[in-house]
Amino acid sequence: MESSEPPPSGDHRLARGDARRNRILVAATDEFGRKGYESTRIADIARSAGVTDAGVLHHFATKHDLFMAVVERREEVYQAIKLPSDSVRALFDEFIAVVRLAAQEPDLLRFRVMLTGASRIEGHPVQGRARRNLEAALDTLVPFVRTRITAGEIAEGTDPQQLVLELLALNEGIRDQWSTLPDRIDYVAVFTAAANGLYERVRAR
């Protein structure tokens, strides 16, 4: 007997394809985060996502392409940080908000911890990425902090690069500690307290 249901529309097929692609990305984030790039197999990702190996390769031609798609997915979270125009306090609040957002996806956080080390491995797909990201952060944030010292928000004598490096180090260090003891460390709460403490230390009185 022929089905009386109409065939799926192009929109429905597209939606199913997007949902399948997202499942693959989620599974890949977990697998790469736990095993690293070299030890992760397409077959493991496919099984976790509930698709075939061919289903993975339909969306991502190679393991390298899939890995880099996860890297870009991770970057989307931190691209949410917007450089404020009015205060370093607002900048710190932006960081806290992004940390809170990132904490909603623990597998993506674990992937980020793995990525930090991987970027220093010669020949790795993300070799040098951490350096480029740090240079970009310094090039953007240090001049901004310098203007806020001149404006009187941040205490005179504060080294703007030192302040930015400490903020970035708090995030990276606490995230790494959380990945080691996730049951004992509240990533968002600890980072928020540390960032607020750093701001209180450098704000003009």
Side-chain angles (χ1 to χ4, degrees):
M1 178 184 295
E2 294 184 359
S3 172
S4 61
E5 294 183 2
S9 68
D11 288 345
H12 288 162
R13 286 194 297 270
L14 183 61
R16 284 207 302 266
D18 288 345
R20 187 180 304 113
R21 185 180 188 275
N22 187 62
R23 289 205 312 273
I24 293 168
L25 282 172
V26 170
T29 300
D30 175 51
E31 293 289 335
F32 284 130
R34 290 188 296 107
K35 301 175 184 176
Y37 178 75
E38 294 296 338
S39 298
T40 296
R41 303 183 306 161
I42 288 292
D44 297 331
I45 295 171
R47 183 170 56 252
S48 179
V51 301
T52 63
D53 294 11
V56 173
L57 297 175
H58 171 74
H59 291 279
F60 305 95
T62 65
K63 184 172 80 168
H64 176 272
D65 290 345
L66 176 52
F67 181 79
M68 296 309 297
V70 177
V71 172
E72 293 305 319
R73 179 172 177 259
R74 201 286 314 179
E75 296 289 353
E76 288 175 0
V77 176
Y78 290 93
Q79 287 171 356
I81 296 177
K82 297 179 178 62
L83 186 65
S85 60
D86 53 351
S87 69
V88 170
R89 177 67 260 180
L91 174 65
F92 276 45
D93 289 340
E94 283 280 335
F95 266 87
I96 291 169
V98 168
V99 164
R100 186 174 293 110
L101 179 64
Q104 295 175 12
E105 296 192 70
D107 288 343
L108 206 55
L109 279 181
R110 293 186 186 92
F111 180 84
R112 182 63 184 85
V113 172
M114 178 278 299
L115 203 61
T116 299
S119 68
R120 296 169 177 83
I121 298 174
E122 185 174 347
H124 196 280
V126 291
Q127 179 186 2
R129 193 179 188 93
R131 175 173 180 162
R132 292 191 296 273
N133 286 348
L134 179 57
E135 287 177 337
L138 292 176
D139 289 346
T140 300
L141 300 179
V142 170
F144 172 70
V145 172
R146 188 175 292 118
T147 66
R148 299 311 302 165
I149 295 172
T150 302
E153 178 193 4
I154 302 300
E156 290 186 13
T158 300
D159 183 333
Q161 178 164 295
Q162 176 72 21
L163 176 56
V164 172
L165 288 173
E166 286 190 42
L167 178 63
L168 298 176
L170 285 174
N171 183 29
E172 186 169 316
I174 295 167
R175 184 177 58 220
D176 288 356
Q177 291 172 344
W178 166 85
S179 72
T180 303
L181 290 174
D183 295 333
R184 292 187 58 180
I185 296 173
D186 185 331
Y187 171 45
V188 176
V190 175
F191 175 78
T192 299
N196 286 338
L198 176 59
Y199 181 78
E200 285 301 309
R201 197 188 84 208
V202 299
R203 72 178 179 86
R205 304 298 176 183

